[in-house]
Amino acid sequence: MTTADRFRAAVDSRDLDALGDLLTDDIRLHSPVSFKPFDGKAAVMGLFGVLLRTFEDFRYVGRLDGAAETGADGTEAPSAVLIFRATVNGRQIHGIDLLHFDDTGQIKEFTVMVRPQSAVHALGEAVLAGLVADGLAPDPATQ
């Protein structure tokens, strides 16, 4: 079973521990709702916890395998694209998870892209609320 298969199985079963086992300690996640990436396993795992609660009817509907240049170091790395559909606050989302793997097969870089823009906005609001609730982000209302 590949890392992408194990990642998909962990998401399908909502198994955060299994997800964490697939990530490098210095993973970088690029989110469609934040200009600044989430750096490090602790930050990414906090985000995954929020996402697993936020997405409704999340399902992977396709997969592509290959290689792509990473943003972290500009080298080409084995990669997989997992295509998904979900709902957030009544908005239908269509997106991809782009996973880049290191030499041991762990995920070293992760990029999420979603459409349409109204869904990106709904996702951003829901994720921020979850991060604030979990104490992982400051409450913008108190800033």
Side-chain angles (χ1 to χ4, degrees), residues 33 88 119-129:
V33 299
V88 173
V120 175
H121 183 70
L123 179 61
E125 288 178 346
V127 167
L128 179 58

Side-chain angles (χ1 to χ4, degrees), residues 37-127:
F38 291 80
D39 284 318
K41 188 184 269 191
V44 171
M45 290 303 297
L47 177 62
F48 280 162
V50 170
L51 290 172
L52 289 177
R53 292 193 318 265
T54 300
F55 283 122
E56 306 158 32
D57 304 321
F58 185 94
R59 65 204 178 283
Y60 285 112
V61 297
R63 176 176 160 181
L64 304 167
D65 293 296
E69 185 178 297
T70 69
D73 58 17
T75 61
E76 190 172 275
S79 304
V81 175
L82 300 175
I83 304 160
F84 67 86
R85 295 202 182 265
T87 304
V88 173
N89 293 336
R91 299 275 187 200
Q92 295 295 313
I93 292 178
H94 183 211
I96 65 167
D97 290 336
L98 172 57
L99 290 69
H100 294 288
F101 308 107
D102 71 4
D103 294 337
T104 68
Q106 285 190 294
I107 302 167
K108 69 176 183 176
E109 189 170 325
F110 193 105
T111 302
V112 180
M113 294 181 222
V114 298
R115 62 159 304 281
Q117 185 168 347
S118 61
V120 175
H121 183 70
L123 179 61
E125 288 178 346
V127 167

Side-chain angles (χ1 to χ4, degrees), residues 125 128-143:
E125 288 178 346
L128 179 58
L131 291 172
V132 168
D134 289 357
L136 300 171
D139 186 346
T142 63
Q143 298 292 310

